[in-house]
């Protein structure tokens, strides 16, 4: 659709950025924090462990001051379950409550809206040993944790996100270090989708609890959503793209919003004898969730064609899928450039994704992640020139404005990441932040913060409420 005039960003648009606890905080076993699955996993060879990360735990004041300098209206961060409950259940760690009280208060001091993710890839190690999401008790564990969060922080936190990228936990759990398959499991697919079902029920219960305990708060999910194109106009390729979209995207959003399983995925699971078991009451729980908005992470689209029926290996990273036998085969997009780390760059697909989500679910949307991972370099005069990031973000923000002009309801934009942190599996050298952290993979150097060029650029974008997206900083 070609628009003659663009609609402005809403006055209360939440400009900000995101991080997650296990990737940014460090202090991984300090002040009573218990280990999470991320602390005990074997990190990929050549990449940093997660003990120090950006040391946000000790430097949050400096970091929030820098975010305030950029003019942030919102900061999306996650709460480490094991800082609050070292064992995942049981005794609450007062030091953990204190840290997040301080972090929230620091945000509010600068009128930065805290947007809290309740679970971002960091299952308590103690609960991992009890089967993680494969154990039906995981529903109660998560609801208990969420109740503690609502009780302690609900007086100040107005925006909540349940589970970060549940679809990636399900599709690429081993890549991000989160999947536990019980020994002796004979039907892995069924096991994976049973875990997924427990997450669906857990987050639905947490949403209902949030509405009951905090009537003024808003809560939503945060899956990784991006549309998948058919390779050609061959009708078979369109059917394949429908399969792929159902498996990656709609399964999750259909369940969150309508409380129903996507029919295409259900039919596929049935054929594989992999449908999850429902406990009594699950159907009703799913139907009673009602998110207030859809949070979603967007990095890039993908392409697929009709499956030739052979196994291709499935999802290989959050953004790449080689295909599922009988559903679709993944192919490269010849029209798009990629980042230094091989992820395709598709700003127009961002608009397409926003339009598609809105036309299916009609809920306001919050972009909870979007961004470019790159090998940024600190120059001798203490600067980081990252024009590629400015270009990436500018092009994506332009597409949000087009989507707003298409009458899609957008609440805010929180790209990944506020500050450099550790990537899920590619170390600290895959940097995303507006704020550079002076450390390398294994050398902690000074840990000083440095404003990248994109820092100044984003500051201007926020100051003009998105009216000035020009390259000048
Ligand atoms: C998302 C996650 O998948 O993408 C983040 O929610 C992650 O935790 C981000 O860091 C970027 O991915 P990666 O693999 O480059 O760190």
């Amino acid at each position: 659709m070609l628009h003659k005039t663009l609609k402005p960003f809403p006055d209360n648009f939440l400009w900000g950025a995101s991080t997650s606890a296990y990737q940014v905080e460090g202090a991984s076993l300090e002040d009573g924090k218990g280990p999470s699955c991320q602390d005990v996993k074997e990190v990929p060879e050549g990449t940093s462990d997660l003990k120090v990360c950006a040391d946000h735990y000790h430097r949050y004041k400096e970091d929030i001051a820098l975010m305030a300098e950029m003019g942030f209206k919102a900061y999306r961060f996650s709460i480490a379950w094991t800082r609050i409950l070292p064992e995942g259940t049981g005794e609450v760690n007062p030091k953990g409550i204190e840290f997040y009280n301080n972090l929230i208060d620091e945000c509010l001091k600068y009128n930065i809206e805290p947007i809290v993710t309740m679970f971002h890839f960091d299952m308590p190690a103690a609960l991992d040993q009890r089967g993680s999401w494969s154990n039906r008790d995981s529903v109660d564990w998560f609801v208990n944790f969420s109740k503690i969060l609502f009780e302690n922080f609900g007086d100040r936190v107005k925006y909540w996100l349940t589970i970060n990228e549940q679809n990636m936990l399900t599709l690429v759990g081993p890549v991000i270090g989160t999947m536990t398959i019980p020994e002796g499991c004979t039907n892995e697919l069924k096991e994976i989708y049973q875990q997924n079902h427990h997450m669906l029920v857990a987050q639905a219960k947490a949403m209902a609890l949030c509405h009951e305990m905090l009537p003024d708060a808003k809560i939503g999910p945060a899956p990784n959503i991006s549309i998948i194109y058919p390779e050609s106009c061959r009708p078979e390729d369109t059917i394949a793209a429908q399969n792929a979209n159902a498996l990656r995207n709609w399964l999750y959003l259909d369940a969150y919003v309508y409380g129903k399983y996507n029919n295409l995925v259900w039919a596929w699971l049935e054929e594989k004898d992999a449908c999850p078991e429902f406990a009594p009451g699950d159907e009703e729980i799913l139907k009673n969730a009602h998110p207030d908005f859809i949070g979603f992470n967007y990095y890039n689209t993908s392409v697929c064609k009709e499956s030739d029926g052979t196994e291709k290996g499935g999802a290989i990273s959050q953004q790449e899928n080689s295909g599922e036998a009988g559903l679709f085969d993944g192919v490269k997009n010849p029209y798009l450039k990629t980042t230094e780390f091989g992820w395709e760059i598709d700003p127009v697909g961002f608009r397409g994704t926003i339009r598609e989500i809105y036309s299916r679910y009609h809920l306001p949307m919050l972009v909870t992640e979007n961004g470019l991972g790159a090998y940024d370099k600190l120059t001798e005069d203490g600067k980081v020139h990252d024009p590629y990031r400015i270009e990436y973000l500018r092009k994506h923000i332009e597409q949000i404005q087009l989507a707003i002009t298409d009458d899609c309801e957008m609440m805010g934009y929180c790209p990944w990441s506020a500050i450099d942190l550790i990537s899920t599996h590619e170390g600290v050298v895959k940097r995303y932040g507006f704020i550079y952290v002076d450390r390398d993979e294994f050398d902690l150097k000074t840990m000083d913060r440095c404003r990248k060029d994109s820092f100044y650029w984003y500051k201007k974008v926020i100051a003009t409420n998105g009216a000035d997206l020009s390259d000048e900083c």
Side-chain angles (χ1 to χ4, degrees):
M1 200 184 302
L2 289 176
H3 294 293
K4 290 199 190 96
T5 326
L6 292 182
K7 290 188 184 151
F9 286 86
D11 286 341
N12 55 356
F13 194 72
L14 293 169
W15 297 100
S18 296
T19 62
S20 92
Y22 88 90
Q23 295 173 279
V24 76
E25 284 178 5
S28 60
L29 295 176
E30 222 173 292
D31 285 341
K33 179 180 173 295
S36 79
C37 62
Q38 299 294 345
D39 300 314
V40 298
K41 79 176 184 191
E42 208 173 300
V43 296
E45 211 187 319
T47 67
S48 164
D49 61 33
L50 297 148
K51 292 194 178 102
V52 178
C53 300
D55 199 25
H56 190 55
Y57 185 75
H58 296 112
R59 297 169 196 245
Y60 69 92
K61 285 195 180 175
E62 184 186 351
D63 296 341
I64 305 283
L66 285 164
M67 295 179 205
E69 189 184 320
M70 266 187 281
F72 276 22
K73 311 284 184 217
Y75 172 37
R76 173 197 177 221
F77 56 88
S78 77
I79 292 190
W81 190 333
T82 52
R83 229 180 255 298
I84 303 295
L85 293 161
E87 297 284 312
T89 57
E91 287 290 298
V92 172
N93 173 27
K95 283 280 191 189
I97 301 282
E98 185 185 319
F99 171 67
Y100 291 109
N101 270 333
N102 291 341
L103 185 64
I104 290 164
D105 290 345
E106 200 64 19
C107 289
L108 294 174
K109 182 169 121 188
Y110 297 104
N111 289 322
I112 295 175
E113 198 70 64
I115 300 177
V116 170
T117 314
M118 293 154 63
F119 180 75
H120 194 125
F121 300 168
D122 55 354
M123 179 59 88
L127 298 183
D128 239 8
Q129 281 169 8
R130 291 163 68 187
S132 188
W133 292 109
S134 78
N135 186 335
R136 170 77 202 191
D137 290 349
S138 57
V139 173
D140 294 338
W141 300 335
F142 184 72
V143 176
N144 172 57
F145 171 53
S146 62
K147 182 162 179 265
I148 294 168
L149 299 188
F150 299 149
E151 276 166 358
N152 283 280
F153 311 122
D155 56 334
R156 286 152 295 152
V157 174
K158 303 292 170 224
Y159 295 93
W160 296 89
L161 296 158
T162 52
I163 298 181
N164 180 70
E165 294 196 354
Q166 185 183 332
N167 51 344
M168 295 304 128
L169 289 166
T170 303
L171 294 167
V172 283
V175 176
I176 47 187
T178 53
M179 180 63 71
T180 306
I181 301 288
E183 254 176 62
C185 166
T186 50
N187 186 340
E188 200 168 301
L189 193 66
K190 186 175 170 84
E191 167 60 32
I192 289 171
Y193 280 88
Q194 189 65 50
Q195 294 193 19
N196 183 57
H197 180 73
H198 293 155
M199 284 189 250
L200 288 177
V201 175
Q203 65 89 42
K205 284 187 109 173
M207 281 192 198
L209 185 68
C210 180
H211 289 137
E212 190 187 311
M213 291 176 65
L214 309 171
D216 295 334
K218 294 189 187 306
I219 187 161
N224 177 326
I225 303 295
S226 51
I227 48 173
I228 300 165
Y229 307 121
E231 186 188 37
S232 76
C233 51
R234 275 185 73 231
E236 290 79 359
D237 287 345
T238 294
I239 296 289
Q242 289 173 343
N243 295 338
N245 276 295
L247 189 70
R248 187 190 196 282
N249 300 317
W250 314 139
L251 165 66
Y252 302 89
L253 287 173
D254 286 358
Y256 298 146
V257 180
Y258 302 132
K260 286 174 83 163
Y261 268 79
N262 178 279
N263 58 300
L264 299 181
V265 179
W266 192 263
W268 175 67
L269 291 173
E270 248 173 359
E271 283 191 357
K272 300 261 176 194
D273 185 27
C275 290
E277 307 294 333
F278 276 53
D282 279 1
E283 222 165 299
E284 218 187 332
I285 292 167
L286 292 181
K287 288 230 163 77
N288 285 337
H290 308 305
D292 300 294
F293 63 92
I294 292 176
F296 74 103
N297 301 346
Y298 173 88
Y299 287 89
N300 59 260
T301 51
S302 46
V303 184
C304 71
K305 63 178 183 179
E306 184 187 15
S307 163
D308 65 10
T310 62
E311 290 297 340
K312 294 292 182 313
I316 41 186
S317 83
Q318 300 100 303
Q319 301 310 134
E320 298 153 293
N321 196 323
S322 51
E324 283 294 339
L327 291 183
F328 65 93
D329 282 354
V331 287
K332 289 260 174 251
N333 190 327
Y335 300 104
L336 299 177
K337 292 197 180 124
T338 63
T339 70
E340 288 177 308
F341 289 84
W343 287 9
E344 287 163 355
I345 301 175
D346 185 6
V348 176
F350 192 23
R351 180 186 182 188
T353 299
I354 295 170
R355 289 160 67 128
E356 193 66 27
I357 297 175
Y358 197 63
S359 67
R360 290 179 69 100
Y361 305 104
H362 298 283
L363 281 173
M365 285 162 285
L366 175 66
V367 180
T368 41
E369 284 179 36
N370 169 237
L372 175 83
Y375 293 104
D376 298 335
K377 288 281 163 286
L378 184 64
T379 58
E380 272 175 20
D381 56 352
K383 302 215 155 107
V384 178
H385 302 300
D386 56 348
Y388 37 85
R389 181 166 294 107
I390 293 175
E391 189 191 357
Y392 178 100
L393 295 171
R394 180 173 51 73
K395 288 188 168 165
H396 283 78
I397 295 172
E398 280 169 0
Q399 296 298 321
I400 299 181
Q401 192 171 10
L402 284 165
I404 289 173
T405 311
D406 293 332
D407 260 348
C408 299
E409 236 179 305
M410 298 301 293
M411 294 164 58
Y413 180 61
C414 292
W416 190 259
S417 50
I419 181 166
D420 287 346
L421 38 68
I422 314 275
S423 137
T424 58
H425 58 286
E426 293 178 291
V428 75
V429 293
K430 190 181 190 187
R431 294 174 186 269
Y432 284 89
F434 294 104
I435 302 164
Y436 184 90
V437 177
D438 182 31
R439 64 159 290 181
D440 277 345
E441 218 61 74
F442 302 106
D443 180 356
L444 292 179
K445 296 187 165 178
T446 66
M447 295 295 290
D448 283 351
R449 279 44 179 155
C450 160
R451 298 162 183 81
K452 299 184 191 176
D453 287 355
S454 56
F455 177 105
Y456 298 104
W457 176 83
Y458 196 40
K459 179 179 175 173
K460 177 196 69 179
V461 170
I462 298 175
T464 61
N465 198 28
D468 184 356
L469 299 177
S470 65
D471 286 348
E472 287 84 54
C473 299

